[in-house]
């Protein structure tokens, strides 16, 4: 009897320890999930354009033969739809255009570039440039997106120095970490938006 009572007296303690272990494990799993959330869940789930910006996306995607999902994903990755965004390197507006690049685009396209904070100017300029890059790199989206983020000069140098073929598709091989993440994020969000739009959600 004494041995049985002794075992019963300690069972609650063991149960409490088991519960504590379970709670700690659940907390650790939650922290891990939150830490990985940006990789498990695309940003497009959390950020959406205003109706006005959505209209500009659809209008300019059609105008420059781009998919609306791709154009929206580039804008999302660049500024999260903030038309007042200015990067540390001086890129401006919703599609984060460098002023000298915007000036070159305006000269080539005839589009206005006097107010890069205005989405009605910034989005057409960025969409024109994105279509230009896709054409320049023969439809290779990885190279076009890398050039949008890192510049044409860098991508052309990488192709020459590293022997990248025209159909290069290894995102992990892009030398700049920021550019790798940009290309991967744009493609992931584009794919998610495609599935969402196809499902009518």
């Amino acid at each position: 009897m004494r041995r049985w009572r002794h075992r019963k007296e300690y069972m609650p303690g063991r149960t409490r320890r088991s519960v504590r272990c379970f709670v700690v494990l659940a907390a650790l799993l939650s922290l891990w999930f939150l830490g990985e959330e940006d990789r498990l869940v695309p940003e497009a789930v959390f950020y959406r354009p205003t109706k006005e910006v959505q209209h500009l996306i659809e209008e300019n995607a059609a105008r420059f033969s781009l998919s609306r999902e791709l154009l929206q994903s580039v804008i999302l990755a660049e500024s999260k739809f903030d038309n007042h965004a200015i990067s540390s390197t001086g890129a401006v507006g919703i599609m984060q255009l460098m002023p000298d690049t915007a000036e070159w685009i305006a000269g080539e396209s005839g589009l206005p570039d006097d107010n890069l904070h205005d989405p009605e100017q910034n989005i057409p300029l960025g969409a024109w440039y994105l279509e230009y890059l896709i054409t320049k790199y023969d439809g290779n989206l990885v190279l076009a997106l890398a050039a949008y983020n890192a510049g044409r000069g860098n991508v052309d140098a990488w192709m020459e120095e590293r022997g990248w073929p025209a159909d290069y598709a290894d995102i992990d091989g892009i030398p700049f970490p920021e550019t790798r993440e940009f290309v991967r994020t744009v493609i992931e969000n584009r794919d998610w938006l495609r599935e969402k739009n196809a499902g009518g959600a």
Side-chain angles (χ1 to χ4, degrees):
M1 288 293 292
R2 189 174 299 168
R3 182 181 301 172
W4 175 247
R5 282 197 303 271
H6 181 75
R7 290 180 62 192
K8 284 184 68 178
E9 288 169 1
Y10 280 89
M11 280 298 290
R14 290 175 181 170
T15 302
R16 285 194 297 272
R17 283 195 297 274
S18 297
V19 170
R20 282 197 299 269
C21 288
F22 176 80
V23 169
V24 169
L25 180 59
L28 289 173
L29 287 172
S30 298
L31 288 172
W32 174 84
F33 178 79
L34 289 172
E36 298 292 311
E37 184 177 11
D38 59 330
R39 296 192 338 191
L40 296 174
V41 181
E43 285 185 325
V45 174
F46 306 105
Y47 297 95
R48 295 184 181 181
T50 63
K51 289 182 179 179
E52 292 78 12
V53 169
Q54 185 65 50
H55 173 74
L56 289 169
I57 288 171
E58 293 176 3
E59 179 180 71
N60 286 283
R63 181 180 181 183
F64 296 107
S65 302
L66 302 167
S67 76
R68 60 179 176 168
E69 293 89 357
L70 175 61
L71 185 54
Q72 181 171 331
S73 296
V74 169
I75 295 172
L76 171 60
E78 286 289 359
S79 69
K80 294 182 174 58
F81 308 111
D82 179 7
N83 55 294
H84 299 293
I86 300 177
S87 76
S88 59
T89 57
V92 178
I94 198 164
M95 292 197 73
Q96 289 292 276
L97 298 171
M98 295 295 291
D100 57 343
T101 301
E103 184 179 358
W104 177 83
I105 295 168
E108 294 291 315
S109 66
L111 295 166
D113 70 328
D114 56 289
N115 184 4
L116 294 180
H117 288 289
D118 183 358
E120 291 190 13
Q121 285 192 17
N122 196 291
I123 291 177
L125 289 165
W128 184 95
Y129 188 47
L130 184 58
E131 191 274 336
Y132 166 84
L133 292 172
I134 291 171
T135 300
K136 171 179 169 61
Y137 294 105
D138 299 316
N140 187 320
L141 188 59
V142 168
L143 295 179
L145 290 173
Y148 191 97
N149 181 263
R152 291 167 287 161
N154 280 317
V155 172
D156 291 345
W158 296 336
M159 292 182 74
E160 182 178 352
E161 295 167 4
R162 297 166 182 261
W164 288 1
D167 62 350
Y168 181 84
D170 181 16
I171 296 174
D172 290 331
I174 296 172
F176 294 172
E178 177 186 334
T179 303
R180 283 199 301 272
E181 185 61 24
F182 173 79
V183 174
R184 183 176 290 110
T185 297
V186 170
I187 292 175
E188 286 176 353
N189 281 298
R190 180 207 60 178
D191 292 346
W192 185 85
L193 286 168
R194 276 183 176 175
E195 291 181 12
K196 174 178 176 291
N197 292 335

